[in-house]
Amino acid sequence: MTDFSLISNEALRGEIEEFVTRPAEIERNLRVFSRAHPRMQAIALAVIEGEHHLCDRLTREALEAGHVAIEVMDDGLIAGMGVVGIKFRENFIFVPEVLACARAMKSGMAHIEPILSASGVPPAGKVVMGTVKGDLHDIGKNLCIMMLRGAGFEVVDLGVDTAPDAFIDAVEESGARLVGMSALLTTTVPNMGRTIEAFIDAGLRDDVQIMVGGAPVTQEFADDMGADGYGKDALACVAEAKRLLGINA
Amino acid sequence: MSQPISPMTSRQRVLAALRREPVDRTPVCNPTSVATVELMDLADAFFPEANRIPEKMANLAETSYTELGFDTIMPVFSIIQESSALGCKIQWEQKDNWPTVKMREPIWRDVEDIRIPPDLLTHPDTACVTEAIRILRRRHGDEVAIIGKTMGPWSLAYHGFGVEPFLLMALDDPGKTMQVLERLKEVTIAYGLAQIEAGADALTLPDHATGDLVSADYYRRFLKELHAEFAARLPVPIILHICGRTVDRMPYIAETGMAAFHFDSKNRPDESMAAVCGHCALVGNINNPETLFARDPEQVEAEVLANLEAGIHLVGPECAIPLQTSIENLRAIPRAVRAWHSAGGGARCHHHDHSHNNG
Ligand code: B12
Ligand SMILES: [Zn+2]
């Protein structure tokens, strides 16, 4: 039973009908958006369309109208970013469009974050992310970070060419229990294993979950190097983060 | 049906294949980089020096001809020589990694920031390449094809603006993006001409508008005409290189007048041949990370065969080969090509080429 008419915002309904094709994802989006307030639907649409000025204004207006920050974040910004991830995975949109959507999301989050931190609402989870030593490819890692933030995670971004020690320091400083590593070069994939060894040597391996990704990395490589998780794209990265931290999807 | 073709030198073979004319056998070519750590040991020329000292650069580059039996020599192992001359900060790295631009520290924000320095062609990192080409030409005469490399404006913009800021610019302000590309194209032309003057037989032109980052429509709107201009203004065969998924934009590429397109293993040889429809030659597409780096000569040979059977004009790796690739796997490429031709594959190949020339 897929009744798209449950989504009142026509343009948003069009997006879901056209671009979301996996049954489980259709169901999830219908569930989220059919109960979302029209203002939230409009915010989600602004994220999907990468309209940052609009998203900024709609978020501000929703908060002024009395919607709570969590609702605006979950039903508007995060829900919209979920659709963006699907459109990117299915090649309906490409990196520039995702960057614009993330910019829109960020303009909305700028209003949400101060409220959440003042009220002490904890983030979904904390993740340390970085591209490993010797590797300067970061587009995929950055997309993962955008989707993680889009899903409510707090992310410490270590950038590129990250030495094992820098991962360890970041974990100790932030208290994050999840580390994500990215590598795009066959020459740098072994540095993932070396970073995992460094965590063992530092006596910290049992305190953190470690996930890995990047085009040359496979589930098999991930298992061999002793990682806890692997994701093949940004949506899988979010799913792995939730699984490893025991957060319900 | 096919006339027997008298034996050719590597150079003749490569240049004929780039013109899609008959060849005595399919040439083996890597228009990006063949540097590996094993070859560095053999040539006693290591990164980072082999990217910065002409003699070392030439010594490492010629191993593709002398040690591997490829038909080309490509002295540029990186994609950053002219970006260094433009003022980008470079991380030169060590023996076991390629140098890169520190794109986290962009040098440009706007069109006006782009200035082509007077020493573009005399800067040590650009002059290194032209000097290496001269050395190689002196050493190898007309035996082997020497290929130069000049970066396209899209890739240069990644280096100067940072990838993400530039991609957002392309979305937000297409007019400004065109101005950026128009300015940067002069770098591509000037550096290309300098290498031709130094003796390059052909030029690789990497311009990373790949399907992993942007849609085919970006290629059509921003680059197709510029690439046609390169093909017209640079008086040697141009090999466009874009790694990643590209089959959706190959029909546009085929209309630019570029002599050849160097394609990635994310695109099948047969679908790629269909996509360019006989309008340009194809170079490729042996997989780097999974096959050349991680498997055995037999698997390399199987991929060579798939390319030959599809009628690919020049066979070789898809992009800069991983630095830890074994020489054994690389030597399997020319060996498989020779074996296929002596088993009669060559006859089919010429036939194939003729039908393309006529059609
Ligand atoms: C763009 C690009 C570049 C850009 C990088 C810009 C940047 N800031 O990142 C530039 C042009 C600068 C560049 C430079 C180089 N590159 Co490059 N590059 C690419 C290219 C074309 C696309 C990579 C990309 O961004 N893809 C898009 C993103 C979205 O995909 P992704 O990174 O895979 O990420 C997704 C998933 O993997 C996953 N994921 C990623 N990280 C993580 C982490 C976790 C925890 C999880 C769960 C998931 C996850 O989610 C992401 C989103 O869906 C690839 C070609 C290809 N076929 O992939 C070559 C490629 C990666 N490069 C290659 C090479 C050789 C180089 C250079 C050495 C070139 C040279 N000769 O100088 C240098 C290396 C510099 C260095 N030391 O790192 C080779 C690597 C070969 C190998 N495997 O060893 C490739 C594969 C090309 C090829 N076919 O051979 N490159
Ligand atoms: Zn490439």
Side-chain angles (χ1 to χ4, degrees):
Chain A
M1 278 286 321
T2 41
D3 185 0
F4 289 102
S5 70
L6 291 170
I7 302 174
S8 60
N9 185 311
E10 209 175 305
L12 179 63
R13 191 193 318 143
E15 287 281 332
I16 309 292
E17 270 185 290
E18 186 171 354
F19 300 117
V20 184
T21 52
R22 296 189 188 174
E25 289 174 349
I26 293 176
E27 205 203 306
R28 197 180 66 234
N29 277 286
L30 276 179
R31 197 172 63 230
V32 171
F33 287 124
S34 58
R35 62 168 169 70
H37 189 278
R39 281 185 192 278
M40 303 307 127
Q41 298 189 24
I43 290 172
L45 185 67
V47 171
I48 296 170
E49 293 185 336
E51 299 278 359
H52 65 285
H53 294 301
L54 182 64
C55 190
D56 169 84
R57 182 164 61 78
L58 292 176
T59 307
R60 194 161 26 80
E61 287 172 1
L63 292 169
E64 281 162 10
H67 293 274
V68 295
I70 289 277
E71 180 194 1
V72 179
M73 183 174 79
D74 285 350
D75 294 359
L77 300 168
I78 292 183
M81 206 60 189
V83 178
V84 173
I86 293 171
K87 286 174 75 174
F88 177 65
R89 187 191 64 206
E90 307 293 339
N91 295 324
F92 289 117
I93 56 171
F94 292 81
V95 175
E97 293 77 21
V98 179
L99 293 172
C101 298
R103 181 173 58 186
M105 162 113 198
K106 213 170 147 195
S107 73
M109 280 308 287
H111 301 289
I112 305 287
E113 267 158 5
I115 304 177
L116 290 186
S117 51
S119 62
V121 178
K126 219 184 250 185
V127 194
V128 167
M129 291 277 288
T131 299
V132 296
K133 181 104 204 92
D135 202 322
L136 292 115
H137 291 86
D138 63 356
I139 298 166
K141 181 213 66 174
N142 293 350
L143 293 175
C144 288
I145 291 177
M146 287 168 208
M147 293 307 297
L148 283 167
R149 290 193 174 134
F153 284 87
E154 184 184 326
V155 183
V156 180
D157 181 3
L158 300 179
V160 297
D161 192 23
T162 311
D165 284 350
F167 280 102
I168 291 176
D169 292 348
V171 164
E172 292 194 311
E173 270 165 40
S174 67
R177 286 178 38 242
L178 178 59
V179 173
M181 289 188 274
S182 182
L184 264 284
L185 297 171
T186 31
T187 44
T188 57
V189 171
N191 291 337
M192 294 178 146
R194 283 181 201 126
T195 307
I196 295 178
E197 276 162 32
F199 271 97
I200 297 173
D201 294 344
L204 287 171
R205 181 66 184 92
D206 296 337
D207 299 344
V208 288
Q209 301 285 329
I210 298 180
M211 61 177 178
V212 292
V217 185
T218 59
Q219 180 70 56
E220 206 185 327
F221 279 148
D223 293 341
D224 285 351
M225 66 177 85
D228 304 300
Y230 158 76
K232 78 171 197 346
D233 55 41
L235 283 183
C237 177
V238 173
E240 276 302 271
K242 288 182 174 169
R243 182 180 73 80
L244 293 169
L245 292 178
I247 299 165
N248 292 330
Chain B
M1 171 89 224
S2 62
Q3 312 260 336
I5 293 176
S6 40
M8 296 172 132
T9 64
S10 285
R11 183 168 178 273
Q12 291 168 333
R13 188 177 293 131
V14 169
L15 292 176
L18 288 173
R19 289 190 300 262
R20 283 167 289 132
E21 288 170 5
V23 283
D24 61 343
R25 69 160 168 81
T26 307
V28 175
C29 167
N30 189 351
T32 44
S33 162
V34 290
T36 68
V37 286
E38 272 185 62
L39 291 172
M40 292 180 205
D41 287 333
L42 278 179
D44 194 26
F46 306 93
F47 285 4
E49 295 80 23
N51 292 311
R52 310 201 74 181
I53 302 170
E55 190 82 20
K56 297 272 180 197
M57 183 176 260
N59 292 352
L60 181 54
E62 71 190 356
T63 57
S64 73
Y65 181 60
T66 56
E67 298 291 336
L68 304 178
F70 285 23
D71 295 293
T72 54
I73 295 180
M74 158 52 77
V76 194
F77 313 116
S78 76
I79 53 176
I80 51 111
Q81 306 286 146
E82 56 268 58
S83 296
S84 175
L86 287 169
C88 293
K89 290 186 188 132
I90 309 293
Q91 182 159 322
W92 283 102
E93 295 285 354
Q94 291 305 312
K95 177 181 178 181
D96 59 351
N97 207 359
W98 291 281
T100 25
V101 172
K102 295 182 182 167
M103 280 170 292
R104 296 275 112 187
E105 300 165 44
I107 55 167
W108 303 322
R109 292 185 170 276
D110 224 316
V111 188
E112 286 68 44
D113 300 335
I114 303 173
R115 263 178 231 99
I116 300 176
D119 69 342
L120 175 71
L121 305 175
T122 49
H123 184 284
D125 293 325
T126 44
C128 177
V129 171
T130 36
E131 189 46 38
I133 291 173
R134 286 200 181 89
I135 295 172
L136 289 164
R137 192 88 277 167
R138 276 199 300 273
R139 282 188 200 161
H140 297 281
D142 285 343
E143 280 297 303
V144 54
I146 297 172
I147 305 186
K149 188 193 283 178
T150 184
M151 301 300 291
W154 191 267
S155 288
L156 291 174
Y158 284 169
H159 290 169
F161 290 93
V163 180
E164 288 164 13
F166 180 67
L167 291 178
L168 268 176
M169 186 200 297
L171 185 73
D172 290 340
D173 197 341
K176 185 161 126 183
T177 308
M178 265 331 290
Q179 289 173 19
V180 165
L181 297 171
E182 282 288 335
R183 262 191 204 207
L184 288 173
K185 90 177 176 203
E186 298 306 332
V187 176
T188 308
I189 300 261
Y191 193 37
L193 289 174
Q195 292 176 65
I196 294 167
E197 202 201 282
D201 295 308
L203 293 173
T204 302
L205 197 152
D207 218 9
H208 296 92
T210 160
D212 293 283
L213 302 182
V214 296
S215 69
D217 200 48
Y218 277 67
Y219 183 82
R220 184 185 59 77
R221 285 190 291 137
F222 291 113
L223 290 174
K224 197 180 154 201
E225 268 178 42
L226 280 174
H227 285 181
E229 191 179 334
F230 294 141
R233 283 176 65 187
L234 293 166
V236 295
I238 307 299
I239 305 168
L240 179 66
H241 169 80
I242 307 179
C243 34
R245 283 193 317 266
T246 49
V247 72
D248 58 356
R249 56 213 70 191
M250 283 185 205
Y252 300 135
I253 292 168
E255 287 171 16
T256 59
M258 294 268 182
F261 179 58
H262 183 210
F263 72 121
D264 187 298
S265 62
K266 284 191 181 172
N267 316 278
R268 287 202 328 269
D270 55 341
E271 64 176 0
S272 305
M273 284 298 284
V276 299
C277 197
H279 294 300
C280 71
L282 284 175
V283 187
N285 78 341
I286 301 162
N287 176 290
N288 279 335
E290 274 149 41
T291 307
L292 272 176
F293 171 68
R295 300 233 165 85
D296 303 325
E298 294 78 68
Q299 277 99 19
V300 174
E301 281 162 20
E303 282 193 31
V304 171
L305 282 191
N307 277 301
L308 291 168
E309 295 290 344
I312 296 303
H313 308 79
L314 298 97
V315 173
E318 59 183 342
C319 185
I321 53 180
L323 294 172
Q324 321 290 346
T325 305
S326 73
I327 288 185
E328 204 195 349
N329 275 358
L330 293 169
R331 284 185 179 142
I333 304 172
R335 193 173 61 230
V337 168
R338 287 201 184 84
W340 185 76
H341 281 277
S342 34
R348 288 204 299 280
C349 180
H350 299 150
H351 178 79
H352 195 111
D353 265 14
H354 279 301
S355 65
H356 269 293
N357 285 344
N358 303 337

